Structure formats: structure tokens, C-alpha cells
Amino acid sequence: MKLKNFFLVVFSVAGSFFASAQSNLLNAKTPDEIGKKTAAQLESDNDKPLPYGYVHDRDVLMGKTTWELIDVDERINFPLYYPVDTAFVGKERRSLFQVLLNGIKSGKITEVYNDDYFNSKVTLKDIESVFKYIDTTDAGIDEFNTDVEGYKSGAKVLDKQYIEETELTAKDVSGYRIKGFWYFDKRQSELKYRMLAICPVATEARAKAKGESDPIDLFWVYFPSIRDILHEAKAFNDKNSAMPLTFDHLLNSRRFSGVIYKEENVYGDRTIQDYMKDNSQMQLLESERVKEKIRNFEQDMWNY
């Protein structure tokens, strides 16, 4: 009897997840109603990201800050990269880069920084040139030279056909850098991870317009401040379309593949590449050594 009740509860919970994941798809009378929750759903919905538990400084027995690079070319990281073309998908599907960019443009994301130590805070105006670059074509320069005084005085305006705009899109993103903190919670006797910041890596719009392809760190966002926004955005779940993953869940549960490229150290937090130059294999082995060092600390806690 108890087993029967257990399965009944499990199927009930799963059914509620299934119903909420449909986003009114089966009840919509017009396409505009798809994705909009009914009044009953809104009343019973408590769709918020799972809050982080409070961790006292005295409970942290060991801590280590690491930086990782997520390469979006790896298949496991595809949910962070796609869709790059939103013309053939619904409004509810956007890439992680588009979610971050839309949040910054709308003013919902304000904790944006120029570095991974959160020393220099930036605004949309400060980094706007990274996303969009406007230049005059060679034909436009020739047209401008025909009547320089007229264009300078404002009597004549250069036609739009001579203006070339280059915008950064999700397709230009090559990866993400993340900063996180591994710590051993002695109260719960468990090794845990807390993501602190995320940074898209891409070729800026100016370099893209000139045919260059050197990716740079675009901006750093303090991760805990954007959890609500990432929870509202859904990543594609290849195994079950009825239950899409939120970006908050995907990142917090570490459902991605990342390579450690830096750990905090006495040498001013130098990167692995700084002391292992021109040897990619040794850099990967060093990254694995750092991971193993962190894991071994937890294992040593259970050895007597």
C-alpha cells in the first residue's frame, strides 16, 4: 500500500511538471496564447530558482577559486550555443548569449563588469561598441569627398546604402568563461560548487567587420544576480521537449564540459598557459591535475 502511494505521488508530481512545461500549448485557441499561462496556473505557480543555502564562513573547511573555459563546439555544450538563427524557432527559445544581451539592453541585468574580479563596473553605453559597429563604405567615402562642406554642415546627409552596420550575434560566440568557487562544507560533509561569474567569448563587432576572428572576453556578469532571468529562459532538452531545462538549472548542475585554465595561486593568479607555453597536451593534463587536487581533498576527509 505504501509503495502504491509512493508511485501515485511520483506520477502526480511528474504530471504537474509536464503540464507546466507545455506552456498552455494544448489549451491555446490561437498561436498568440501559446506560452501564456492561465490564471489558474499563475495562481498555483511558484516557479522560482532554488535559492542558495546560507553558508557560514566557519563552515568552509577548504575553498579554491577556479576559472573554466566552456567550448560551445563540444556537443554537450550545444544547449548553451543554439539556436543561432531565431527565424525558425519559437519566441521561448533563445541562446544563452541572446538571453544575456537582451537582459543588459532591457536593464534587467545591471551587475556587468569589465573584469572577473568585479573591480570595474560597466554600463550598456560602455560596451555598446562591442555589439555593434557602424562604418562608412569606400563608396560612401568617395561620395563624402565630393562635397565635404555640404556633409559637414548638415546640408547633405549620406545615404544609408553607404553605411555598413555589423552586429554581434549568437553565431559569433565561441565559448564562455566561468568563475566559480569549490568548497568543502564541513557542516554537511560535502564538496560543493558555487558559480560566481560568467563571460561570453566572441569576436567583437569591429574586428568582425574587418574580417578578423580573434575572440575576446566581452563582459563579465555576476552570476547570482541573474539567476531569476536565467530561470525564465529555457534551454533545449533533447530527451524530452515537454520538460525544457532552465539555463539556471543547466549551469548550477554543471551539465556542461569545461576546462580549467586558471586557479587562484601565489603568482598573481597566473593562467596555466603562462607557465606551460606552447604545449596544449600538458595544459590539459595540468587542468586535470587541478581538478584531481580538489576532488582528492574530499576523498581524504573520509580516510582514517
Side-chain angles (χ1 to χ4, degrees):
M1 187 65 181
K2 291 183 179 179
L3 185 61
K4 182 179 179 181
N5 293 335
F6 172 76
F7 282 114
L8 181 62
V9 171
V10 171
F11 285 125
S12 299
V13 173
S16 65
F17 282 149
F18 179 81
S20 62
Q22 289 299 306
S23 300
N24 206 34
L25 176 65
L26 303 180
N27 301 318
K29 297 180 180 179
T30 61
D32 295 337
E33 295 180 1
I34 298 177
K36 295 181 180 179
K37 296 183 179 181
T38 63
Q41 286 176 322
L42 292 173
E43 184 177 353
S44 61
D45 193 9
N46 187 22
D47 194 17
K48 295 289 184 181
L50 187 66
Y52 291 144
Y54 177 76
V55 181
H56 198 283
D57 292 341
R58 290 179 296 183
D59 295 334
V60 179
L61 186 62
M62 182 277 295
K64 173 68 73 172
T65 303
T66 60
W67 289 258
E68 296 174 76
L69 176 62
I70 301 174
D71 187 355
V72 294
D73 283 337
E74 295 186 35
R75 184 173 295 275
I76 191 175
N77 298 328
F78 280 179
L80 298 174
Y81 180 64
Y82 290 100
V84 295
D85 187 356
T86 58
F88 304 101
V89 295
K91 295 180 180 180
E92 71 282 355
R93 286 191 60 191
R94 291 294 182 267
S95 65
L96 177 58
F97 175 74
Q98 198 63 48
V99 171
L100 295 176
L101 185 58
N102 291 342
I104 294 175
K105 289 183 176 179
S106 64
K108 294 181 179 180
I109 297 179
T110 58
E111 296 300 317
V112 185
Y113 297 84
N114 198 33
D115 63 296
D116 50 348
Y117 292 97
F118 317 118
N119 292 323
S120 177
K121 194 171 183 179
V122 295
T123 62
L124 175 61
K125 187 177 180 180
D126 297 329
I127 58 177
E128 195 171 12
S129 60
V130 173
F131 310 128
K132 190 173 183 180
Y133 177 69
I134 302 176
D135 196 11
T136 307
T137 62
D138 294 338
I141 295 175
D142 295 337
E143 174 65 23
F144 181 83
N145 291 332
T146 58
D147 189 2
V148 177
E149 295 300 329
Y151 284 107
K152 284 186 175 181
S153 62
K156 296 180 68 176
V157 180
L158 202 62
D159 193 85
K160 290 184 178 179
Q161 63 176 329
Y162 300 122
I163 304 298
E164 190 177 54
E165 293 186 2
T166 304
E167 290 192 22
L168 206 62
T169 63
K171 188 177 181 180
D172 302 311
V173 176
S174 61
Y176 292 90
R177 297 188 190 275
I178 59 172
K179 178 182 179 181
F181 186 71
W182 289 96
Y183 66 98
F184 187 85
D185 190 336
K186 67 179 182 181
R187 184 179 295 272
Q188 299 185 11
S189 300
E190 184 179 358
L191 182 68
K192 296 183 178 181
Y193 177 80
R194 183 73 59 85
M195 189 175 294
L196 301 177
I198 186 168
C199 167
V201 180
T203 303
E204 62 177 342
R206 182 186 182 94
K208 178 183 175 182
K210 295 183 178 181
E212 301 175 2
S213 59
D214 294 330
I216 63 170
D217 298 350
L218 299 182
F219 54 84
W220 285 87
V221 182
Y222 186 61
F223 184 81
S225 68
I226 61 172
R227 291 194 63 207
D228 288 333
I229 297 173
L230 295 182
H231 184 74
E232 295 174 0
K234 309 298 181 183
F236 184 73
N237 186 354
D238 189 41
K239 296 182 179 179
N240 188 355
S241 299
M243 296 184 65
L245 298 169
T246 69
F247 282 115
D248 177 69
H249 181 200
L250 189 148
L251 292 170
N252 274 305
S253 59
R254 292 188 60 85
R255 299 180 64 160
F256 57 83
S257 174
V259 177
I260 294 178
Y261 67 92
K262 183 171 68 169
E263 65 168 331
E264 58 178 348
N265 52 68
V266 70
Y267 303 101
D269 294 350
R270 65 179 181 179
T271 64
I272 294 176
Q273 189 176 6
D274 289 338
Y275 60 93
M276 289 191 173
K277 302 179 184 293
D278 304 326
N279 194 328
S280 299
Q281 182 179 8
M282 292 303 297
Q283 291 172 12
L284 289 174
L285 291 175
E286 177 67 8
S287 174
E288 290 299 320
R289 187 193 67 80
V290 175
K291 289 182 181 179
E292 195 66 23
K293 180 175 62 175
I294 296 173
R295 286 195 294 259
N296 285 342
F297 186 90
E298 182 185 28
Q299 296 296 326
D300 292 343
M301 290 293 100
W302 303 103
N303 292 334
Y304 297 92

